[in-house]
Amino acid sequence: ALRAATGDEWTVEKAMNIGRRITNIMRLYNLRSGLTVKLEEPSYHYSTPPKDGPNEGREIRENFFKMRRRYFELMGWDTETGVPKPETFKKLGLDDYLADLATADLYRCII
């Protein structure tokens, strides 16, 4: 469908790379707009253990932080702050955004 619409040859890797680029630009925008790792925590209601069903009494909160850390790692972001690493931007050809990454006060995201 992409080839028919664009005339370009598409591979899974090419499509995945475009998705990675978009995700990293969105992450930079969100961080610059005030997103912090604290704001990414699940709400009290979401993290309350279910009262019935197969996961009755099991809390998600502990696993959520492990999953978030692993996601940040796989994305090439700092595992504590979620700030993309400069080498991730370079690898994705997002060199034009490196100045934004370096000059923005992104490390307030630790709060």
Side-chain angles (χ1 to χ4, degrees):
L2 285 172
R3 182 177 181 190
T6 65
D8 289 343
E9 192 63 41
W10 285 85
T11 63
V12 171
E13 187 56 35
K14 181 177 179 178
M16 291 296 289
N17 242 3
I18 290 171
R20 287 182 191 105
R21 289 169 53 93
I22 292 168
T23 301
N24 276 275
I25 293 169
M26 285 174 33
R27 184 67 177 181
L28 177 60
Y29 174 83
N30 287 335
L31 292 169
R32 291 192 68 178
S33 297
L35 179 76
T36 65
V37 289
K38 187 71 174 161
L39 293 173
E40 293 180 312
E41 292 181 16
S43 68
Y44 171 77
H45 177 73
Y46 179 77
S47 63
T48 303
K51 298 192 184 327
D52 58 7
N55 290 316
E56 180 180 355
R58 296 178 70 191
E59 179 159 337
I60 190 174
R61 206 162 179 78
E62 178 184 327
N63 291 324
F64 172 82
F65 294 113
K66 290 177 189 175
M67 291 185 298
R68 183 177 67 185
R69 179 187 256 316
R70 180 69 174 137
Y71 176 73
F72 287 173
E73 180 183 332
L74 291 171
M75 291 301 297
W77 300 346
D78 181 276
T79 56
E80 295 298 318
T81 65
V83 174
K85 296 177 181 176
E87 57 265 23
T88 301
F89 272 37
K90 288 177 186 173
K91 179 180 171 188
L92 294 171
L94 298 173
D95 299 56
D96 292 347
Y97 294 92
L98 285 173
D100 289 334
L101 192 61
T103 59
D105 183 20
L106 299 177
Y107 290 93
R108 71 183 181 287
C109 301
I110 298 169
I111 300 170

